[in-house]
Amino acid sequence: MDAGEDQDVPALPSRLFKLGTGSCVAGSVKQLIPRQYRDIWRACATLPQLIGRTGEDGTVRFTVPPGEYLLIREYVRGKEPKKQIHYVGMRVGTIGEGQTKKQLLRVIVDSDGNIRSP
């Protein structure tokens, strides 16, 4: 991928985590910051319908009950011993009955091949 080029990433593991009182995320972190996405990914179970992979167009779709959610994607670049795993996410916000939300998550790969969050 060339610098400044947008590219969809197929087969990217994606998970939605329920937020709010009583959720694993609320019990695991005091303040939701990107450095904690890996820990949330590893520590918090989520329902099977909230786990997916991006399609060829880079999108993933979930059907969820109303509530507030956090979307996290696991981006793996390279192979051992130089494999980089990066967790990128964002608060989706509150989703109401029958509501659809579209979110854009970006991962930046610099000219040295290092993964950066925007």
Side-chain angles (χ1 to χ4, degrees):
M1 181 179 341
D2 294 328
E5 178 185 340
D6 285 345
Q7 182 178 6
D8 295 325
V9 182
L12 196 62
S14 305
R15 295 182 189 173
L16 272 179
F17 296 89
K18 188 120 172 137
L19 296 175
T21 306
S23 71
C24 175
V25 175
S28 299
V29 298
K30 291 181 181 176
Q31 184 180 5
L32 195 56
I33 57 175
R35 286 192 313 259
Q36 296 168 324
Y37 292 159
R38 181 190 69 174
D39 296 336
I40 292 167
W41 183 276
R42 292 178 177 176
C44 294
T46 191
L47 299 171
Q49 67 265 29
L50 302 182
I51 298 172
R53 288 186 176 275
T54 56
E56 288 299 316
D57 64 353
T59 63
V60 62
R61 289 174 177 79
F62 299 100
T63 301
V64 300
E68 186 177 8
Y69 294 91
L70 169 69
L71 172 63
I72 300 177
R73 291 186 172 164
E74 181 183 57
Y75 183 80
V76 179
R77 182 170 171 87
K79 296 184 177 172
E80 298 295 348
K82 295 185 178 187
K83 179 168 77 171
Q84 294 181 23
I85 301 174
H86 194 77
Y87 297 88
V88 61
M90 70 184 323
R91 191 182 288 257
V92 175
T94 302
I95 297 178
E97 187 72 36
Q99 185 178 10
T100 300
K101 281 202 173 184
K102 185 175 184 177
Q103 301 293 143
L104 175 66
L105 288 177
R106 292 184 177 261
V107 174
I108 298 170
V109 180
D110 68 20
S111 59
D112 294 326
N114 297 310
I115 299 169
R116 308 266 186 242
S117 287

